[in-house]
Amino acid sequence: MTDDERMRRWRLVLGSEAEDEIGTTLSAEDRSVDAAMAALYDTTPGESGGTQRAAGLGSSAPRVARWLGDIRRYFPSTVVQVMQRDAVERLGITRMLMEPELLGAVEPDVHLVSTLLALNEVMPEETKQTARDVVGRVVASLEERLAERTRASVTGALDRAGRTGRPRHSDIDWDRTIRANLKHFSPTLGTIVPDRLVGYARRNHSVQRDIVLAIDQSGSMAESVVYASLFGAVLGSIRTLRTSLVVFDTAVVDLTDQLEDPVDVLFGTQLGGGTDINRALAYCEDLVTKPGETVMVLISDLYEGGVREEMLRRARSLVESGVQLIALLALADSGTPSYDAENAAALADLGVPTFACTPDLFPDLMAAAIKREDITEWAGKYLGR
């Protein structure tokens, strides 16, 4: 170990007050590491035997969620577990988690859900049911806002994907039929004499598309995990879709059998750990039985901890097989995401549309994908890319 590296480590251990004495200037990334540690450990005793934060996380749920994502990014999982437990004990998060009445009284939002899911493993048993109730309230609110629109957009796209020129009477699209036959207006009869009918193929309950959602559950993707799990449950309720929901870090977990309850899906995730996108794509590839009728959505910041070349090779193979593969860098409302720009560019070069998407636009995205529209063009139109 060099002297510079030794001084760097001492500076991180001792904190910002030791910077002048040690004479070491931290890099931008090291300052982020230092800030994550300072939020937890730069504390002084409080008046009532508690702690008074010098830096701290405050009471902001988004700030706590970001911090949980940061420590997973900068520290190994064993250290993350220790820091999470220290946070529960030192920063007042304990009070929220130990008192179901207080937790039940807070105004829940996506950030709070992300925090609760991230701390699920250290949450006291007597509070877990209250936490599930809080998560359930957020999910119900999101469902009210997004679920019906998703079903309408997707089922409409499925119907339109099956247009026919010989529809049964109940399946005629009268609006399109009239517009297609305006030139056949008969002044004598005072009406349109249709030359052809436009309508939907006979509706049936057979599976028309396969949807595979692959969700990166690393800490920085917490908000996306919440939204993607909800959308997975909504898509799973549409009988003409076969929906699979897969979450991954360095391991892959198939949560398809829990799609009936998005709260169960969320508590089946384990936010944190590394990221092996290649392994996730390999698992998802095995789920594909009809490539030309499959839409696969990879939701990830693309920071690959596995073999990058294998990930790109597998993505190319999926695209060449006919699978419509889409990479979402985030499914969230929280602004421009952090992501691996090199991997994003490489996927785009392979023909994989790669961009961030807000939850409100996700139903339209899925509708466009089901109709096999050009998704890159769609993103440019609706997302200003």
Side-chain angles (χ1 to χ4, degrees):
M1 184 187 302
T2 66
D3 288 342
D4 286 345
E5 175 62 14
R6 186 178 292 106
M7 289 298 99
R8 168 186 168 273
R9 294 190 179 191
W10 273 114
R11 162 61 183 83
L12 288 171
V13 168
L14 295 175
S16 58
E17 293 182 358
E19 185 162 288
D20 292 339
E21 184 176 346
I22 293 177
T24 297
T25 301
L26 297 178
S27 66
E29 182 169 352
D30 280 344
R31 288 198 176 278
S32 296
V33 174
D34 187 54
M37 296 176 65
L40 177 57
Y41 295 116
D42 282 6
T43 60
T44 55
E47 294 179 0
S48 303
T51 58
Q52 183 178 359
R53 290 184 291 279
L57 300 176
S59 58
S60 165
R63 185 180 299 177
V64 174
R66 280 197 303 273
W67 179 79
L68 289 167
D70 286 345
I71 64 173
R72 291 187 183 86
R73 177 180 177 185
Y74 297 125
F75 303 103
S77 58
T78 52
V79 175
V80 168
Q81 292 171 13
V82 172
M83 294 181 74
Q84 281 188 171
R85 286 179 170 82
D86 285 351
V88 170
E89 294 174 1
R90 295 169 63 93
L91 299 184
I93 301 176
T94 303
R95 183 165 172 252
M96 183 177 73
L97 295 180
M98 290 294 287
E99 298 181 21
E101 297 80 6
L102 179 60
L103 179 56
V106 299
E107 186 63 34
D109 61 11
V110 171
H111 298 291
L112 178 60
V113 170
S114 302
T115 302
L116 293 176
L117 296 177
L119 295 173
N120 185 35
E121 292 301 309
V122 296
M123 190 181 299
E125 285 298 325
E126 61 268 25
T127 308
K128 284 192 174 182
Q129 184 54 53
T130 305
R132 286 184 65 89
D133 293 342
V134 171
V135 172
R137 286 158 57 194
V138 174
V139 168
S141 174
L142 294 177
E143 279 189 312
E144 183 178 354
R145 168 185 149 201
L146 299 169
E148 189 54 41
R149 183 160 162 261
T150 302
R151 292 189 186 96
S153 297
V154 170
T155 53
L158 288 167
D159 287 342
R160 284 161 179 75
R163 286 193 185 279
T164 176
R166 300 179 61 187
R168 297 171 184 259
H169 185 272
S170 61
D171 294 325
I172 294 174
D173 184 336
W174 289 106
D175 180 64
R176 291 178 66 91
T177 295
I178 291 170
R179 283 188 283 138
N181 290 278
L182 286 175
K183 62 183 178 180
H184 300 301
F185 178 78
S186 169
T188 303
L189 298 176
T191 187
I192 292 173
V193 180
D195 179 66
R196 66 186 180 91
L197 300 176
V198 179
Y200 309 122
R202 185 66 178 170
R203 292 178 176 86
N204 59 67
H205 298 304
S206 62
V207 173
Q208 299 180 46
R209 290 290 189 277
D210 288 349
I211 307 294
V212 180
L213 299 180
I215 310 170
D216 179 349
Q217 58 178 354
S218 58
S220 59
M221 298 297 294
E223 187 177 349
S224 296
V225 170
V226 175
Y227 281 114
S229 299
L230 169 64
F231 282 120
V234 174
L235 294 172
S237 70
I238 300 173
R239 286 181 291 178
T240 47
L241 295 178
R242 179 184 291 112
T243 302
S244 300
L245 184 104
V246 174
V247 298
F248 66 92
D249 40 38
T250 53
V252 178
V253 179
D254 193 326
L255 297 177
T256 304
D257 61 350
Q258 299 181 38
L259 276 177
E260 290 186 2
D261 187 343
V263 177
D264 283 344
V265 171
L266 286 169
F267 276 93
T269 62
Q270 294 292 329
L271 295 176
T275 308
D276 193 336
I277 303 171
N278 175 53
R279 176 176 288 188
L281 288 179
Y283 181 88
C284 292
E285 190 174 28
D286 288 340
L287 298 177
V288 177
T289 57
K290 298 177 290 184
E293 298 177 16
T294 299
V295 178
M296 185 180 298
V297 183
L298 170 66
I299 303 172
S300 172
D301 54 17
L302 302 181
Y303 288 108
E304 173 65 314
V307 183
R308 178 178 186 267
E309 294 73 17
E310 281 296 300
M311 175 193 74
L312 296 176
R313 183 196 64 76
R314 206 171 298 278
R316 180 188 294 110
S317 175
L318 284 164
V319 171
E320 291 175 349
S321 73
V323 171
Q324 190 162 19
L325 178 60
I326 302 167
L328 295 186
L329 304 171
L331 181 57
D333 286 314
S334 54
T336 304
S338 171
Y339 63 93
D340 189 308
E342 186 177 356
N343 283 339
L347 285 173
D349 288 342
L350 294 176
V352 179
T354 306
F355 52 90
C357 182
T358 64
D360 283 328
L361 281 175
F362 186 76
D364 297 330
L365 167 63
M366 292 306 300
I370 286 169
K371 291 185 288 185
R372 300 199 71 84
E373 295 179 6
D374 185 321
I375 299 302
T376 300
E377 184 177 324
W378 178 92
K381 179 179 179 181
Y382 289 98
L383 299 174
R385 294 180 69 251

